[in-house]
Amino acid sequence: SALDPPPLGERLCSAEEATAGSGTYTRHGFIFSSLAGCLEKRSEDSGLPVVSVVRDAESQLLPDVGAVVTCKVCSINSRFAKVHILYVGSTPLKSTFRGTIRREDIRATEKDKVEVYKSFRPGDIVLAKVISLGDAQSNYLLSTAENELGVVVARSEAGVQMVPISWCEMQCPRTHTKDFRKVARVQPQFLQT
Amino acid sequence: EEEHEAAPRDPCALRPLFARAGLLSQAEGSAYVELGGGTKVLCAAWGPREAAEPGAAGRLLCEFRRAPFAGRGARWRPGSAAEREAEREAASALREALEPAVRLARYPRARLAVSALLLQDGGSALAAAISAAAMALADAGVEMYDLAVGCALCRPPGPAAAWMLQPGEPEERSAVARLTVALLPALNQVSAVLGGGQGSPPDAWAQALRLGLDGCHRLYPVLRQSLLRAARRRDAAAAA
């Protein structure tokens, strides 16, 4: 590009001319860059433009509270399911983070009647939302208590990928057996036909 | 190199510095720093990974290794306790100098790792390692407040001896006091003052500190420029 990327620690502008976006920090009333990347200036309708510095590879993404993540279930018991977080949004993580989906966070309604064994199984791919970063002892806390969250890919005992038939059931296309899962209602534009 | 009485050198002279970032393909970020006269440090850095004991903010793990061929003559038996102890001390010094520069609050529950390998010790090795490690972290895309620049000083024996910037290996060995300072130049904040020794009045130490910080300010543009070149190389490789 014609402009050089701003070096790390470069003073970009005064804090009165713009607001600090990602990759920047404010000190002594000025905005400095905290990444060696490309400068972006987006003008917001309300108020000051937002100045941010981005690097091409979003490799430093971490699951944040409220982010929708794609994870794989590794083990279940009667109180929670343990998962490995693979993607944050649509960017893959370079190393997996561990997460936990508690029994009371699987569904929004009738939380006490939930059975983890009938919602997830090991090996399922699940869309979940991060509700808490957790403390020193626990992993990321995730929730599937929305219609759009839940199991997206699951394999039956025969090893075939199952087809969802309702919000709580999936069917194997070969053996026609039905299995219970907490199924995600994926938006039509994300389905491949 | 001759060990005879060298002509008195300019105490404020900086050794020529060569720095290059983004040279290792396996690590997310890397940097190589070489000081004229034979100090070579290679450093690699990795971005956020899941931490074994997660805390509210991220953790920075530093490692310092000295190659077996780094020193002239046999200093320690390789793998001896003394060598491991010295490496551990250098690693914790590295961490002390780098932690204030990294925005750890942006990486909750994650760990960032930095590993420095001293290929050849020609004096001022810790200072070169601090600069290389900061460059490697920046090259890995870790958010930092500023680059940490390291500069070493030493004071030779003698009542009227003056502090010298960036000593070579023989000067460092015969010195009575050694100091390594690490500075965040854009913010003008000192991140570490390491070292010690004997035989100086207090204001001489303050003068030594000022000399070291001045050296850091002079080294800063070189390191920044090499990071910029690495960014341009990365952009060109991505576009191709």
Side-chain angles (χ1 to χ4, degrees):
Chain A
S1 65
L3 291 168
D4 270 335
L8 193 67
E10 168 100 338
R11 196 168 68 182
L12 298 172
C13 63
S14 130
E16 288 154 27
E17 297 169 3
T19 30
S22 75
T24 62
Y25 66 95
T26 324
R27 193 66 71 90
H28 306 312
F30 289 96
I31 301 181
F32 294 81
S33 93
S34 67
L35 267 186
C38 299
L39 186 63
E40 252 187 24
K41 199 158 186 172
R42 269 197 339 271
S43 55
E44 300 276 306
D45 316 313
S46 59
L48 305 165
V50 175
V51 160
S52 53
V53 180
V54 283
R55 251 171 92 109
D56 319 311
E58 287 286 356
S59 58
Q60 313 307 328
L61 207 55
L62 283 184
D64 206 5
V65 176
V68 174
V69 297
T70 307
C71 33
K72 184 170 189 160
V73 179
C74 51
S75 71
I76 55 172
N77 70 25
S78 58
R79 283 177 297 133
F80 49 76
K82 294 261 194 219
V83 304
H84 279 151
I85 303 178
L86 305 171
Y87 288 72
V88 175
S90 46
T91 41
L93 290 177
K94 286 215 171 142
S95 78
T96 59
F97 285 77
R98 312 260 208 89
T100 305
I101 308 180
R102 293 177 305 182
R103 181 168 161 251
E104 56 266 26
D105 298 324
I106 295 181
R107 272 200 340 229
T109 54
E110 294 187 325
K111 292 185 187 184
D112 43 329
K113 297 216 184 84
V114 170
E115 283 185 66
V116 182
Y117 190 67
K118 286 188 176 169
S119 313
F120 305 126
R121 294 286 173 90
D124 288 353
I125 306 292
V126 172
L127 274 176
K129 187 180 273 196
V130 181
I131 46 177
S132 154
L133 299 176
D135 55 12
Q137 273 76 40
S138 67
N139 305 324
Y140 282 95
L141 275 182
L142 310 172
S143 156
T144 53
E146 277 175 36
N147 290 338
E148 286 79 27
L149 303 174
V151 176
V152 279
V153 174
R155 289 190 177 271
S156 70
E157 263 120 54
V160 185
Q161 187 164 325
M162 293 199 285
V163 174
I165 30 181
S166 78
W167 68 272
C168 58
E169 277 186 310
M170 288 181 118
Q171 188 173 32
C172 170
R174 191 191 295 169
T175 59
H176 301 292
T177 47
K178 293 186 189 172
D179 260 345
F180 290 106
R181 296 286 198 281
K182 199 276 174 188
V183 185
R185 186 181 68 188
V186 183
Q187 304 294 328
Q189 66 257 32
F190 295 125
L191 286 174
Q192 218 176 7
T193 45
Chain B
E1 281 174 30
E2 305 90 40
E3 295 249 20
H4 64 259
E5 290 282 324
R9 50 159 274 188
D10 176 11
C12 305
L14 283 177
R15 289 153 69 178
L17 181 141
F18 169 79
R20 186 175 160 117
L23 63 160
L24 291 177
S25 54
Q26 307 291 65
E28 285 173 35
S30 53
Y32 172 74
V33 167
E34 182 173 332
L35 293 175
T39 302
K40 301 177 176 145
V41 182
L42 180 62
C43 203
W46 289 269
R49 296 278 183 272
E50 190 167 31
E53 298 118 14
R59 290 169 71 219
L60 183 67
L61 297 174
C62 295
E63 190 193 28
F64 185 90
R65 276 271 131 83
R66 211 188 140 87
F69 44 82
R72 190 206 306 252
R75 271 184 83 175
W76 289 301
R77 243 182 53 240
S80 69
E83 184 173 23
R84 277 202 299 276
E85 186 57 43
E87 284 179 353
R88 256 201 298 271
E89 267 190 51
S92 69
L94 210 56
R95 178 153 176 250
E96 195 181 320
L98 290 174
E99 246 184 11
V102 181
R103 288 185 80 184
L104 291 172
R106 292 277 294 145
Y107 300 103
R109 304 182 58 93
R111 66 172 161 84
L112 306 163
V114 159
S115 174
L117 176 65
L118 180 65
L119 295 168
Q120 190 175 317
D121 189 0
S124 313
L126 183 61
I130 292 173
S131 309
M135 275 178 59
L137 279 171
D139 187 49
V142 171
E143 286 201 38
M144 298 172 73
Y145 292 112
D146 195 9
L147 272 181
V149 186
C151 200
L153 307 109
C154 84
R155 187 169 167 273
W163 283 89
M164 283 192 305
L165 265 184
Q166 290 196 322
E169 211 250 326
E171 289 161 339
E172 224 174 47
R173 233 177 328 142
S174 62
V176 297
R178 296 175 198 87
L179 205 61
T180 303
V181 294
L183 175 74
L184 308 181
L187 304 171
N188 210 20
Q189 283 182 340
V190 178
S191 64
V193 177
L194 308 148
Q198 43 103 326
S200 281
D203 45 327
W205 286 99
Q207 191 218 357
L209 199 61
R210 270 194 296 272
L211 186 62
L213 297 182
D214 181 61
C216 291
H217 274 292
R218 283 151 67 191
L219 290 172
Y220 187 50
V222 182
L223 303 178
R224 254 198 181 185
Q225 190 62 25
S226 67
L227 269 183
L228 197 62
R229 270 193 239 119
R232 277 197 220 126
R233 272 198 304 268
R234 198 177 33 238
D235 289 342

